[in-house]
Amino acid sequence: MEYSPILHNLYVVPSSHVRNKLFVLCIMLSLWVYMIYCCVGYCSTVPNLAYANRRESDADADNRGSSAGASRDLLNNQNDLDSRGDEWEDIRGETKALDDNAMSGFFNETEGKKLPQAIIIGVKKGGTRALLEFLRLHPDVRAVGAEPHFFDRNYDKGLEWDLMPKSSEGQLTMEKTPSYYVTREVPARIYCMSKDTKLIVVVRDPVTRAISDYTQTRSKKPDIPSFESLTFKNMSAGLIDTTWSAVQIGMYAKHLERWLQFFPMEQLLFVSGERLITDPAGEMARVQDFLGIRRVITEKYFHFNPAKGFPCLKRPEGNSKPHCLGKTKGRTHPNIDPEVVQRLRDFYKPFNRKFYKMTGYDFGWDSEE
């Protein structure tokens, strides 16, 4: 085979100098591609301030979802409570690092709407609907009629998902969502929105509240197990099942500890659900004073309905028929085994005592023993 200069040139081995240049060029190209990748990835993960705590909350929700069955909330786990300890302190640390005034700017961009300066945060079946309806009669209060669930279920929608009503200068803007009090992430989120928010908690004898909760659930799901069987992990041993939300909500002191990590006690008002029935004008005087508004809602606004078992509203002027809350309020409770009721009272006693001490008020729930 004859020697060919052309073939020789095709198979010539590059010099070390050329190889070095190619190597450096490859490295530079790789670094350039990597830097672009990092920049794009970073931009896609920088959180909007309105979503500052969302990622951790979503992860927690996923973890709770992966262990379905651990909670025995019969209403689709909409009021799931945290049973994993005090991990909320991590959220608190992150939240305090945020500029809490920045979120106010987002809310105020909506013309005619303001931050909710006061929120009824709980509790379910405590009397929150009655309190809200009483307050909505006040000319200086503008409140959302429905429960927006912004700070628990809809926080990921961002602050543009704003259901606050339009209000004029001098009017107080409010909302109420009873599940806020027992939802782990909510104190941090409200603090981030405004650390000056006034918070109202309507509480009720936890045993009566649990039975009322069960009664509401049974009206929607008639085939659920008995109250007695849901109350105990082991009925013969008398071990209360604290994973059932109807029981867990009534452990008021446990939930209050979380709120006090963000808000001072003077920013919380605890309203007696029992006294909203027996002395609505007296409780409303306390509420109006706490909110810093005139005492407009007085005894002339109330008419007790013996059939319903609680006060109905009336206009002081005119002879219009009193307005009562809907038929879903004042349901007849089922008969519960007295022994079960007593065991629940014994279970709640230490929580009640701690709650009385924390709030400085004895609600008298243990006097029926």
Side-chain angles (χ1 to χ4, degrees), residues 130-142:
L131 177 59
L132 181 71
E133 293 305 316
F134 296 168
L135 281 169
R136 291 180 75 190
L137 292 176
H138 200 294
D140 296 337
V141 172
R142 292 285 289 137

Side-chain angles (χ1 to χ4, degrees), residues 8 10 12 23 28 34 38 45 54 60 63 68 70 80 90 95 97 123 161 166 168 174 178 197 215 286 289 291 311:
H8 175 78
L10 288 175
V12 67
F23 181 71
M28 292 178 66
Y34 179 73
C38 291
T45 57
R54 185 180 72 182
D60 290 338
N63 291 336
D80 271 356
D90 295 335
T95 302
V123 297
W161 191 83
K166 291 184 179 180
S168 59
M174 293 187 64
T197 307
T215 303
R286 293 181 60 238
D289 290 348
L291 294 176

Side-chain angles (χ1 to χ4, degrees), residues 324-340:
C324 297
L325 297 179
K327 63 181 181 180
T328 61
K329 304 300 180 182
R331 294 185 183 95
T332 301
H333 290 180
N335 292 323
I336 306 298
D337 184 343
E339 183 181 350
V340 173

Side-chain angles (χ1 to χ4, degrees), residues 167-209:
S167 58
S168 59
E169 187 67 28
Q171 284 186 317
L172 184 76
T173 305
M174 293 187 64
E175 70 121 310
K176 80 105 176 172
T177 303
S179 56
Y180 286 170
Y181 186 65
V182 297
T183 302
R184 174 181 174 272
E185 299 86 1
V186 171
R189 291 171 175 177
I190 293 179
Y191 180 91
C192 188
M193 175 196 72
S194 173
K195 62 184 179 182
D196 298 320
T197 307
K198 293 185 176 181
L199 307 168
I200 300 177
V201 190
V202 187
V203 289
R204 183 184 185 187
D205 181 332
V207 177
T208 308
R209 196 222 65 82

Side-chain angles (χ1 to χ4, degrees), residues 79-98:
N79 292 323
D80 271 356
L81 307 175
D82 177 39
S83 58
R84 297 172 300 156
D86 293 329
E87 298 167 314
W88 49 267
E89 288 184 351
D90 295 335
I91 291 181
R92 177 173 176 261
E94 293 178 7
T95 302
K96 287 185 180 296
L98 295 173

